[in-house]
Amino acid sequence: MPSSRLRPFLRLAPVVAAVVLLPSAIAAAATTEAADVLLSQGKPVATSSIESSSYTGAKAVDGSTTTRWASAEGSDPQWLRIDLGQSAAIHRVLLNWEAAYAKKYRIEVSEDGTSFTTAASIDTGDGKIDDLTGLSAHGRFVRFVGLTRGTSYGYSFWEMQVFGTTDSSGDTQAPTTPTALTAGTTTGTSVALSWSAATDNVGVAGYDVLRNGVAVATSATTSYTDTGLTPDTTYTYAVRARDGAGNLSPASTAITVKTAAGGGGAFVLAAAGDIAERCTASSSSCAHVKTAKLVEGMNPAAVITMGDNQYDDAHLSDFKSYYDTTWGKFKSKTHPIPGNHETYDDTPFKGYEDYFGAIAKPQGKRYYSWEMGNWHFIALDSNDFATHEFGPDEQLSWLKQDLANNTKGCVAAYYHHPRWSSGDHGDNPDSTDLWNTLVASKVDLVLNGHDHNYERFVPQNADGNADPNGPVEIVGGTGGANLYDLSPAHDTTAKLLKTFGVLKLSMTDTSFQTQLFGVDGKVLDSSPTYTCH
């Protein structure tokens, strides 16, 4: 969602009028709710997703109508939660929409940030300023939940304002200052913090985490992991306690933490699966000749293959006659994995292992991991899970240990058989253990082949439902093998195409963005820029 996107002119006029009239609207509300005040401005915000670092949740409560929050594109539901810092009676919520508005949404309130009740439900949103008055709710946390988008983008508003009155309990005594703030595990993009509990005459309600003097989060416990940081950068942290009446302790003694070096900055990868049919450049329909030219044009730092590198039976002679004449040009920087066709050789995997040599089993197995920049890549052999013949338990144990040992801030995994697919093969329950393990470890990106088509999903959880905390799965069986027909798309499908092409993966120390290039050189799909978990 480009930052230059504006409302159509005819929609702009009433929005401007509403903004101009906002002070008088507040004054009018004050006549009915004399004690109501703006509770939300500058308070800590959490979101289900952001479109990019330019559209963070904090910009929805910064008091400016020129900055905004925007969620990831093309996915429902999405939410934004404001921590008011203490419990309050909520009487009014005002949403100043950008063009990407909600047709249906809820305003919810919670005392603990976990159990929410509905304060308002809107089913006919039109994208104008929504001034929800006459509310009767009570809590510390106020959450917008977008259910149905009004556009093909995400959800975006310039400001979300919450009005009401804070609880008046007569408690004016602040908690004691938290002590013993320390930093635990530190990666290129995250810092784990812990501290000793504060005390209070009534009770500590939570802790504010201050990064470089600014409150960036709240925690109900004495620990918090700050994420989305920049590698090789120094940050200063402190914490302060607050009670239910809003009394704040002094900030703790500050500590200074330096994130790990990212180790390489931005780089580009090329990726595809299901590549070389038994054809050469002499045939105009030979697709792997054309996809190899796409890779050459990208000049990637490395090449990933998602299995079924050579058709039909993956003999060494076929690898030499076909794959090697095209994608073989990039062999020295290729990180391959096998697909089911690599098992069709007279001795399963023999042609694959003889052709790729040491890079087929760089760590002694057909599954392995490697690193570039601030990224940890995990190459898996899903044949173990699809056939149940080659020891899936051993590989799964290795995967869990490899994820536990990782120190990089971003993680991608790739294997042949996709857990979710709208292609000819469809969803693959044999890959459930792999997928669930990757989801649980907050892996950022999963690449697959097997279905000869292209499908990009929005981030999903273990059940295949949209979840910003899950991996982005891309099926890229587009390298050159004959294409398959498509089945109806999943609810979580962002793009589904029957086409040849190559994925271009643009990676930074903290994010990634993907593009699919067709054999004519045109970009057929572009993902949002995702921030690593």
Side-chain angles (χ1 to χ4, degrees):
M1 189 160 51
S3 59
S4 59
R5 189 184 73 242
L6 297 174
R7 297 180 186 273
F9 179 76
L10 292 178
R11 290 281 299 280
L12 187 60
V15 173
V16 172
V19 173
V20 171
L21 293 176
L22 187 56
S24 60
I26 296 173
T31 63
T32 56
E33 297 285 357
D36 279 358
V37 295
L38 178 59
L39 303 172
S40 52
Q41 190 161 310
K43 293 300 194 295
V45 173
T47 63
S48 57
S49 69
I50 56 172
E51 181 189 345
S52 75
S53 58
S54 298
Y55 308 113
T56 60
K59 295 185 178 180
V61 295
D62 63 0
S64 171
T65 55
T66 62
T67 60
R68 60 187 173 92
W69 166 64
S71 70
E73 296 182 7
S75 176
D76 296 316
Q78 298 287 344
W79 53 264
L80 179 145
R81 188 193 72 190
I82 304 171
D83 179 0
L84 302 179
Q86 60 177 298
S87 295
I90 311 302
H91 300 135
R92 178 185 177 208
V93 174
L94 188 145
L95 296 174
N96 184 354
W97 289 101
E98 194 259 350
Y101 69 97
K103 287 184 178 179
K104 294 185 178 182
Y105 66 93
R106 294 194 304 267
I107 300 298
E108 301 177 338
V109 178
S110 170
E111 294 288 357
D112 58 8
T114 301
S115 300
F116 284 84
T117 58
T118 299
S121 183
I122 306 301
D123 295 327
T124 56
D126 59 5
K128 300 178 182 178
I129 286 184
D130 291 343
D131 194 353
L132 311 176
T133 59
L135 306 182
S136 180
H138 188 276
R140 171 175 169 173
F141 299 87
V142 180
R143 183 169 70 178
F144 158 83
V145 182
L147 303 173
T148 303
R149 288 168 287 119
T151 71
S152 61
Y153 298 105
Y155 298 95
S156 181
F157 38 72
W158 304 103
E159 284 291 297
M160 177 174 172
Q161 296 178 309
V162 179
F163 298 87
T165 56
T166 56
D167 289 357
S168 178
S169 64
D171 179 14
T172 59
Q173 181 175 326
T176 61
T177 304
T179 59
L181 175 62
T182 57
T185 301
T186 301
T187 71
T189 58
S190 66
V191 173
L193 301 167
S194 62
W195 55 90
S196 296
T199 60
D200 183 70
N201 61 316
V202 177
V204 174
Y207 299 87
D208 294 342
V209 178
L210 289 76
R211 183 204 309 143
N212 297 337
V214 177
V216 294
T218 60
S219 175
T221 67
T222 56
S223 64
Y224 178 76
T225 299
D226 194 23
T227 60
L229 305 177
T230 301
D232 199 25
T233 301
T234 298
Y235 295 93
T236 299
Y237 288 99
V239 292
R240 65 191 180 201
R242 62 169 66 239
D243 61 21
N247 298 307
L248 288 174
S249 76
S252 69
T253 300
I255 63 170
T256 299
V257 185
K258 188 173 183 179
T259 51
F267 58 92
V268 169
L269 305 178
D274 305 271
I275 298 170
E277 292 280 4
R278 298 176 67 185
C279 62
T280 64
S282 61
S283 170
S284 61
S285 63
C286 191
H288 67 96
V289 175
K290 301 172 184 177
T291 57
K293 290 181 179 178
L294 292 174
V295 177
E296 188 172 11
M298 293 177 190
N299 190 26
V303 174
I304 288 172
T305 67
M306 287 91 81
D308 282 7
N309 304 276
Q310 177 61 57
Y311 282 79
D312 211 19
D313 294 333
H315 300 302
L316 177 61
S317 58
D318 290 333
F319 267 106
K320 290 180 176 180
S321 297
Y322 306 108
Y323 181 95
D324 192 59
T325 63
T326 56
W327 282 64
K329 298 175 183 177
F330 323 112
K331 184 176 177 181
S332 63
K333 58 182 176 182
T334 296
H335 300 270
I337 50 102
N340 52 291
H341 278 263
E342 273 79 15
T343 71
Y344 297 167
D345 198 359
D346 298 331
T347 300
F349 303 108
K350 188 175 190 306
Y352 168 79
E353 293 177 2
D354 287 348
Y355 174 74
F356 281 112
I359 64 175
K361 301 168 70 174
Q363 295 164 7
K365 302 287 185 180
R366 285 184 293 273
Y367 48 88
Y368 58 94
S369 60
W370 56 282
E371 293 177 339
M372 184 173 287
N374 196 36
W375 279 83
H376 183 74
F377 295 92
I378 306 173
L380 299 167
D381 179 9
S382 58
N383 289 292
D384 284 5
F385 298 84
T387 64
H388 305 282
E389 295 177 0
F390 303 103
D393 291 342
E394 176 187 337
Q395 184 175 176
L396 191 62
S397 295
W398 174 88
L399 171 61
K400 292 176 180 178
Q401 189 60 55
D402 183 81
L403 287 164
N405 293 341
N406 170 52
T407 60
K408 297 294 185 179
C410 304
V411 183
Y414 56 104
Y415 50 94
H416 189 60
H417 301 84
R419 175 65 185 94
W420 312 105
S421 174
S422 305
D424 184 69
H425 289 299
D427 296 343
N428 195 322
D430 288 327
S431 297
T432 298
D433 286 344
L434 286 178
W435 176 259
N436 289 355
T437 300
L438 299 173
V439 170
S441 296
K442 295 189 179 299
V443 167
D444 301 288
L445 175 65
V446 174
L447 303 174
N448 304 116
H450 199 44
D451 266 325
H452 300 183
N453 54 258
Y454 172 81
E455 185 168 19
R456 175 173 61 85
F457 292 87
V458 302
Q460 302 172 96
N461 61 22
D463 298 321
N465 297 320
D467 185 338
N469 295 310
V472 174
E473 181 196 343
I474 299 178
V475 179
T478 56
N482 293 330
L483 299 174
Y484 292 162
D485 290 333
L486 304 176
S487 298
H490 286 54
D491 291 341
T492 50
T493 300
K495 193 77 170 183
L496 178 63
L497 296 169
K498 181 180 178 180
T499 188
F500 296 112
V502 175
L503 267 172
K504 179 181 180 181
L505 309 174
S506 300
M507 328 297 274
T508 76
D509 280 339
T510 58
S511 67
F512 68 97
Q513 194 259 345
T514 71
Q515 294 174 296
L516 176 69
F517 281 78
V519 292
D520 59 359
K522 295 181 179 179
V523 177
L524 305 180
D525 181 48
S526 293
S527 78
T529 297
Y530 289 98
T531 300
C532 296
H533 298 136

